[in-house]
Amino acid sequence: MITTSAPDPRDIIWENATVELAGIQLKHSQFNALLFTGTLFWSAVVVSVTSISNLDKLSQVLPDWMIPEQGTFWYGLIQGYLPVVILELLMLLIPVILKVIGKKLIRFKSNSELDNFVFVWHFSYRVANLLIIILSGSLLNTFEEVTNSPRDAINKLASGISQQSQFFLNNMIVAAGSENLWELAQMPNMISHFLIHQVVTLEAKSKRALEKLEEAKAFEWGTVVPPFIFAFMVGTVYCTMVPIVIGVVAIFFYLATKVYTHQALYVYAQPYEGGGKLMYLLNKSIFIILHISITIFGTVLGLREAPIMGPTFLIVMNLITFLVRRRVYKTFVEPSVTLALTNARIIDEENERKAERMRAYQTYKEEKKEKRRQAIKAANQNSKRFSLPSVSEEEEPAAGDAKEKSASYLPTSLATSASKTVHFKNVESSSSSSSEQQKLTQRHVAKAGEKVKVEQQTKNENDAAMDFFLYRQPSLNKSLWETKPRPYRD
C-alpha cells in the first residue's frame, strides 16, 4: 500500500474523485505513448510551416501573383515573421488539447496532477520544435550533397544549424513584443466580458453568477512556464554560435519579468496549492536543456574542423552537468521528498520562533537605547539650566560627575539628596561587571523568548482548533458554503 498526503480540497477535481487509480495509471501510460508518437506527425506540421519562409521553393508551386517581389515589405514579413506567428498560434492549441486529455480522458483527480501533465508534454513539444527546425533545414541540404562531396555535406550540416538561428531570433522578437503585450492587455477576457455584458441581462442574473464573472483567472504553470523554458533553451543553444540571440532573449526575459510580476500581483489568483511538485519537473527540465545545448555545441565544434575539441567538450561538460544535477538531487530534491510534512511544520515553526525572539530582543535593545537617550537629554537640560557642560552618549559613564558638580549649585537639602543619589549610582556602577551585564542581557532575551513562546503556543492552539487537515490546510468558512441558500440581491 502506498500512502501520500491528502491534496488541498480546492485542488481536487471532484468529478474524477471516484475514478480508480489503476485505470488512471493505465490511461496515463497509453496517452504518453500516443503523444510521443504524435511528435512524428508534429514534425511534418512544423516543417510545412517553416517552409513558408523559403519563397524561392514556394514560387515553384504557387502562381507568381501570390509571391511578393523581393525587397518589399510583404516579402520580408512573409519570409521572416509569418512562419513564427503561425507556429505560435498552433502552439496555443497544445495546452488546450492536453487539458482535455488529462481532465476528460485520463481523468486526473487533482488540478496539480493535471498541471504537471500539461507542463511535461507542452515542454516536450517545445523541445521537438527546436530540434525539428534545427535539423530540417540542415539535413535536407546535407542529403543533397552527401553523394557528391561528403566533406561539403558535413560543412553544410554545421552551417545549417547556425543559419536556423534567424527563425529563433524572429521568434524571440515576436515573444518579447507581441506576446508580452498580448498577455498584459488580457484581450480575450476583455472581449468575453464585453460580449457577455452586451448579450446577458445582468439584472436577470443571480449574485452568485455575477461573482462568477468577477473571479480571477488561475496561474496555469503548465501553460505559462514552457515558453520561458523554450526561450532559455534558445539562448543556451545559440549563445556561443550567434551571440545576438542571447541579447534578444535577455530583452524578452526582462519584459516578461515586468509583465508577469504585474499579472501575478493584480490579475491572477491561485485557487489551490499544489505542494510545489512542479518545481521538481522544472529543475529536471533545466538540466535537460543544458544537456541538449552542450550536445549541439559539441557537435558543431566537431563538424567545424575541431575533431578533438568537440568530443572532449561534449563528454567533459555533459559529465560535469550530470554530477551537478546528481548533487542537487541528493542535497535538495531527495530530502524534500522524504521529509514528513509534520516535521517540516515543526521546523518552520521553530525557525519562526527563533526569528520572533530575535525581533523581540532587538525591540528591547531599541527601547533601552531610547530610555538612555531620554536620560541624557534630561541631564543636558539640567546642565544648561545650571551652566554646566552637556553630556553625550559617549560620555554617559561620566554623567555622575556632572551631577556631582551640579549639586554644588543647588540648595543644601537638594545637594544632600543629589549627592546620595550620585553616590548610590556610583557604587552600583562600580559593582557591576561585564559578566553580570551579559547575564542580564541573557535574562532579558530569555524573558522575551518566554513571552513569545507563550504567545506562539496560544496561536498554535488556536490554529490547531481550526486545522482540518495535516499541514496548514485552509479553514472552512461556513458562511461561504455554496450549498447554503443566498439572497437574490443584498
Side-chain angles (χ1 to χ4, degrees):
M1 177 183 291
I2 299 175
T3 59
T4 57
S5 301
D8 189 327
R10 300 166 298 177
D11 187 19
I12 297 175
I13 304 175
W14 292 103
E15 59 187 86
N16 298 338
T18 58
V19 180
E20 294 183 359
L21 180 61
I24 295 176
Q25 293 175 343
L26 177 61
K27 291 181 180 179
H28 191 190
S29 302
Q30 292 173 347
F31 277 99
N32 282 340
L34 181 62
L35 291 170
F36 179 77
T37 308
T39 56
L40 302 177
F41 300 96
W42 181 251
S43 61
V45 176
V46 175
V47 170
S48 62
V49 170
T50 54
S51 63
I52 298 175
S53 61
N54 194 342
L55 296 180
D56 295 334
K57 291 186 178 180
L58 287 178
S59 61
Q60 301 175 3
V61 180
L62 300 176
D64 295 337
W65 63 271
M66 295 186 66
I67 305 298
E69 295 181 3
Q70 189 172 0
T72 61
F73 169 77
W74 293 107
Y75 185 90
L77 181 64
I78 293 175
Q79 189 177 28
Y81 294 101
L82 185 59
V84 173
V85 174
I86 294 176
L87 185 59
E88 287 300 316
L89 291 176
L90 291 176
M91 288 304 300
L92 292 177
L93 300 176
I94 297 296
V96 177
I97 296 172
L98 292 174
K99 288 177 190 175
V100 173
I101 292 174
K103 189 173 183 178
K104 301 297 182 181
L105 300 179
I106 301 177
R107 302 191 68 182
F108 288 111
K109 293 188 177 184
S110 64
N111 288 296
S112 56
E113 292 177 338
L114 176 62
D115 214 14
N116 292 347
F117 174 76
V118 175
F119 175 86
V120 169
W121 283 108
H122 190 186
F123 168 70
S124 301
Y125 273 77
R126 291 277 179 177
V127 174
N129 285 349
L130 179 78
L131 299 178
I132 292 167
I133 293 170
I134 289 176
L135 297 177
S136 61
S138 56
L139 287 179
L140 292 176
N141 297 329
T142 302
F143 290 148
E144 294 176 358
E145 295 289 338
V146 70
T147 56
N148 299 328
S149 175
R151 185 177 183 82
D152 293 339
I154 293 175
N155 292 332
K156 281 199 170 185
L157 178 61
S159 61
I161 295 175
S162 301
Q163 290 173 0
Q164 294 299 323
S165 63
Q166 182 63 45
F167 180 88
F168 296 109
L169 180 63
N170 296 336
N171 197 335
M172 289 297 99
I173 292 174
V174 172
S178 302
E179 292 184 11
N180 282 331
L181 294 178
W182 180 263
E183 170 63 31
L184 183 63
Q186 290 289 304
M187 291 303 296
N189 289 338
M190 293 180 65
I191 293 172
S192 62
H193 275 261
F194 175 77
L195 294 177
I196 289 174
H197 283 74
Q198 292 296 323
V199 175
V200 177
T201 303
L202 297 181
E203 287 74 12
K205 291 293 181 180
S206 64
K207 185 177 179 181
R208 183 176 291 127
L210 295 178
E211 290 179 353
K212 189 73 175 178
L213 295 176
E214 297 176 359
E215 287 183 359
K217 288 179 59 179
F219 192 86
E220 298 177 349
W221 297 90
T223 304
V224 176
V225 176
F228 294 149
I229 302 178
F230 178 74
F232 174 74
M233 182 166 49
V234 171
T236 54
V237 168
Y238 285 104
C239 63
T240 54
M241 294 182 286
V242 188
I244 192 175
V245 174
I246 194 68
V248 179
V249 171
I251 294 173
F252 164 74
F253 276 112
Y254 176 78
L255 296 176
T257 301
K258 300 295 183 182
V259 170
Y260 280 92
T261 300
H262 175 273
Q263 303 300 84
L265 290 174
Y266 301 109
V267 177
Y268 295 116
Q270 200 66 9
Y272 59 87
E273 296 294 336
K277 296 178 182 178
L278 190 69
M279 296 299 108
Y280 301 129
L281 296 176
L282 182 60
N283 173 71
K284 189 182 298 183
S285 304
I286 295 297
F287 280 103
I288 290 173
I289 289 171
L290 293 177
H291 283 295
I292 292 174
S293 61
I294 291 169
T295 302
I296 292 176
F297 182 65
T299 303
V300 172
L301 280 180
L303 295 176
R304 290 185 180 275
E305 299 180 356
I308 298 177
M309 185 182 298
T312 303
F313 176 84
L314 180 65
I315 295 172
V316 173
M317 292 305 297
N318 272 319
L319 180 61
I320 293 175
T321 306
F322 173 76
L323 293 176
V324 172
R325 177 183 177 183
R326 185 180 178 185
R327 181 68 179 273
V328 169
Y329 181 82
K330 288 187 173 296
T331 306
F332 300 104
V333 177
E334 196 174 44
S336 65
V337 172
T338 56
L339 180 64
L341 294 180
T342 52
N343 292 340
R345 181 174 183 175
I346 292 172
I347 293 172
D348 291 342
E349 292 177 350
E350 182 64 28
N351 293 334
E352 184 179 353
R353 282 195 293 269
K354 289 180 180 179
E356 187 65 29
R357 283 198 297 268
M358 183 57 65
R359 285 194 296 269
Y361 179 60
Q362 293 296 334
T363 304
Y364 162 75
K365 288 176 63 178
E366 291 296 330
E367 292 176 354
K368 188 175 181 181
K369 287 182 180 180
E370 184 63 26
K371 290 180 180 178
R372 186 180 301 171
R373 292 192 196 98
Q374 295 295 334
I376 293 172
K377 185 178 179 181
N380 289 334
Q381 290 177 354
N382 291 332
S383 300
K384 291 179 181 179
R385 181 179 177 183
F386 298 104
S387 301
L388 293 176
S390 61
V391 181
S392 62
E393 290 191 34
E394 289 78 7
E395 299 173 350
E396 185 185 358
D401 298 335
K403 291 184 179 180
E404 288 179 356
K405 294 178 181 179
S406 65
S408 61
Y409 294 92
L410 296 176
T412 305
S413 59
L414 295 177
T416 305
S417 61
S419 62
K420 291 180 180 179
T421 304
V422 169
H423 176 70
F424 174 75
K425 294 200 174 204
N426 286 337
V427 171
E428 184 181 1
S429 61
S430 61
S431 63
S432 61
S433 61
S434 60
S435 60
E436 292 178 351
Q437 291 179 356
Q438 292 178 356
K439 292 180 180 179
L440 181 62
T441 303
Q442 292 176 358
R443 285 199 299 270
H444 281 296
V445 173
K447 185 176 180 181
E450 289 295 330
K451 182 180 179 181
V452 172
K453 187 174 180 181
V454 172
E455 293 177 355
Q456 188 67 31
Q457 184 176 1
T458 305
K459 180 177 180 297
N460 291 341
E461 291 175 357
N462 294 334
D463 291 343
M466 293 189 296
D467 281 346
F468 292 87
F469 302 97
L470 179 63
Y471 185 69
R472 290 186 181 274
Q473 297 292 353
S475 58
L476 298 178
N477 189 349
K478 296 182 179 180
S479 63
L480 297 180
W481 278 4
E482 288 297 319
T483 55
K484 183 179 179 180
R486 301 175 64 181
Y488 176 75
R489 289 284 193 276
D490 288 340

